[in-house]
């Protein structure tokens, strides 16, 4: 208890009552110091656990960062939020990611369809079929364009084959 008792005290001049007061005070101070150290150690452990949990959770939400609008979504302290609330947060972010992926897929398909249309228009132009925006024209005969765009690749190849055969027939008929 030496650290809790002033070194200037003359123990020989103290009464038993004063000695017991000083000793009791030193014991209480020692107990309080031990409690404070224990509490500080426990707080440090809790803080380390929260920091570890925060880092783990930050890794879990990393795949969702690009889908999170920070103006609309307030991300709580990941070390403090409950497991249930964190699960809800992940579910919300997963929905945002899915919505973005669905939109991207829709755009990809639209772009793919547009490119396929452009390729078909270009291919038909090389064999003399004109495209007016709504119709294809071959030797003065108009064909609606949209059904041609809806053909599968195999059906389209068959269509081209038929068009070429018709063109050959028309040319042969003109020669006669």
């Amino acid at each position: 208890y030496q650290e809790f008792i002033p070194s200037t005290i003359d123990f020989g001049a103290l009464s038993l009552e004063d000695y017991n007061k000083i000793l009791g005070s030193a014991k209480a101070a020692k107990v309080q110091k031990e409690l404070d150290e224990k509490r500080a150690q426990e707080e440090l452990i809790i803080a380390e656990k929260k920091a570890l949990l925060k880092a783990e959770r930050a890794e879990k939400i990393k795949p969702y960062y690009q889908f999170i609008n920070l103006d609309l979504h307030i991300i709580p302290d990941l070390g403090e939020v409950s497991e249930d609330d964190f699960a809800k947060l992940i579910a919300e972010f997963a929905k945002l990611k899915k919505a973005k992926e669905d939109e991207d897929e829709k755009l990809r398909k639209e772009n793919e369809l547009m490119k396929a249309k452009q390729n078909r228009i270009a291919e038909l132009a090389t064999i003399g079929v004109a495209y007016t925006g709504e119709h294809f024209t071959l030797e003065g005969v108009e064909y609606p364009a949209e059904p041609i765009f809806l053909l599968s690749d195999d059906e389209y190849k068959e269509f081209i084959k038929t068009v070429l055969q018709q063109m050959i027939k028309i040319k042969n008929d003109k020669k006669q």
Side-chain angles (χ1 to χ4, degrees):
Y1 303 108
Q2 188 174 1
E3 68 181 283
F4 304 106
I5 299 174
S7 60
T8 57
I9 294 179
D10 180 6
F11 286 102
L14 285 180
S15 67
L16 184 58
E17 182 180 331
D18 288 340
Y19 174 79
N20 285 334
K21 284 181 184 176
I22 291 173
L23 183 59
S25 176
K27 285 181 180 180
K30 182 179 180 191
V31 167
Q32 186 61 46
K33 180 182 177 187
E34 289 170 352
L35 287 173
D36 290 345
E37 287 173 351
K38 185 177 179 182
R39 187 176 310 116
Q41 186 65 25
E42 289 171 351
E43 288 174 0
L44 181 63
I45 290 169
I46 289 170
E48 287 172 352
K49 285 181 179 179
K50 284 181 181 179
L52 181 61
L53 182 61
K54 185 175 185 174
E56 288 172 0
R57 287 177 170 177
E59 276 301 310
K60 286 182 182 178
I61 67 168
K62 219 179 234 185
Y64 304 106
Y65 282 167
Q66 65 184 4
F67 309 106
I68 301 169
N69 180 343
L70 294 177
D71 293 334
L72 301 176
H73 298 92
I74 298 170
I75 299 177
D77 183 340
L78 297 175
E80 298 285 337
V81 69
S82 71
E83 286 297 325
D84 286 345
D85 288 343
F86 182 70
K88 289 176 186 173
L89 191 65
I90 288 290
E92 181 181 343
F93 292 161
K95 286 180 188 174
L96 293 171
K97 180 181 178 188
K98 175 88 170 91
K100 177 69 171 129
E101 288 170 345
D102 290 348
E103 179 65 22
D104 289 350
E105 180 63 14
K106 179 182 172 189
L107 290 174
R108 185 193 65 77
K109 286 181 179 179
E110 288 174 1
N111 288 337
E112 193 175 277
L113 180 61
M114 183 60 71
K115 186 176 178 182
K117 282 182 177 183
Q118 290 170 346
N119 288 342
R120 287 185 179 182
I121 291 168
E123 184 177 0
L124 289 168
T126 63
I127 60 172
V129 178
Y131 177 64
T132 64
E134 293 182 16
H135 297 89
F136 285 103
T137 305
L138 172 63
E139 300 289 330
V141 178
E142 287 188 345
Y143 300 93
E146 200 56 38
I148 294 170
F149 295 135
L150 299 176
L151 296 175
S152 70
D153 287 342
D154 289 338
E155 292 169 329
Y156 177 71
K157 287 176 186 173
E158 191 62 36
F159 169 77
I160 292 293
K161 185 177 166 183
T162 303
V163 168
L164 290 173
Q165 288 171 348
Q166 284 179 349
M167 288 177 72
I168 291 170
K169 183 178 184 278
I170 291 170
K171 285 182 182 181
N172 286 339
D173 289 346
K174 283 185 179 180
K175 286 182 183 178
Q176 295 177 357

